[in-house]
Amino acid sequence: MSHLVPSVPAGGGRVEVPRSVTAVLGQDVVLPCRYLAQEQEQVVQVTWLKRGPGAVATEVAVLNPQHGEHVQEPFAGRVLRHGHGDLEDGAIVLRN
């Protein structure tokens, strides 16, 4: 089993992610991630990582409003940003 998690730096706000997400084989699934920023905070980038058992984390996707979205080659075409606008909503969609 592997886990996809957003990379979160230390800060004053709070990240809300569900403890688990159920997916159906062959269907798209949304992995939610919402950052509850404190006053004067702004999310400038969201990085999603894949963690496997005993493995080093592998970068899956980087969401950045200035530089766009970058999905690593093994996940290209299968990982998309779910929302639009501010990155306080950093959810992604895993296709198929």
Side-chain angles (χ1 to χ4, degrees):
M1 176 184 278
S2 61
H3 302 278
L4 283 177
V5 294
S7 174
V8 182
R14 189 175 82 235
V15 175
E16 288 186 341
V17 293
R19 188 162 185 80
S20 67
V21 174
T22 302
V24 177
L25 186 62
Q27 294 186 10
D28 295 353
V29 64
V30 175
L31 299 182
C33 176
R34 179 161 291 284
Y35 185 73
L36 302 175
Q38 289 189 343
E39 193 172 325
Q40 304 302 317
E41 280 188 316
Q42 180 182 9
V43 179
V44 295
Q45 182 168 293
V46 174
T47 302
W48 279 88
L49 305 171
K50 179 180 180 182
R51 283 194 313 206
V56 177
T58 302
E59 185 176 284
V60 173
V62 177
L63 312 177
N64 185 300
Q66 291 182 332
H67 303 290
E69 301 165 23
H70 177 73
V71 177
Q72 295 296 333
E73 187 57 39
F75 309 99
R78 295 182 49 223
V79 175
L80 307 166
R81 181 170 180 203
H82 182 254
H84 301 286
D86 293 339
L87 283 177
E88 280 78 10
D89 179 1
I92 58 174
V93 176
L94 299 181
R95 303 219 37 174
N96 208 353

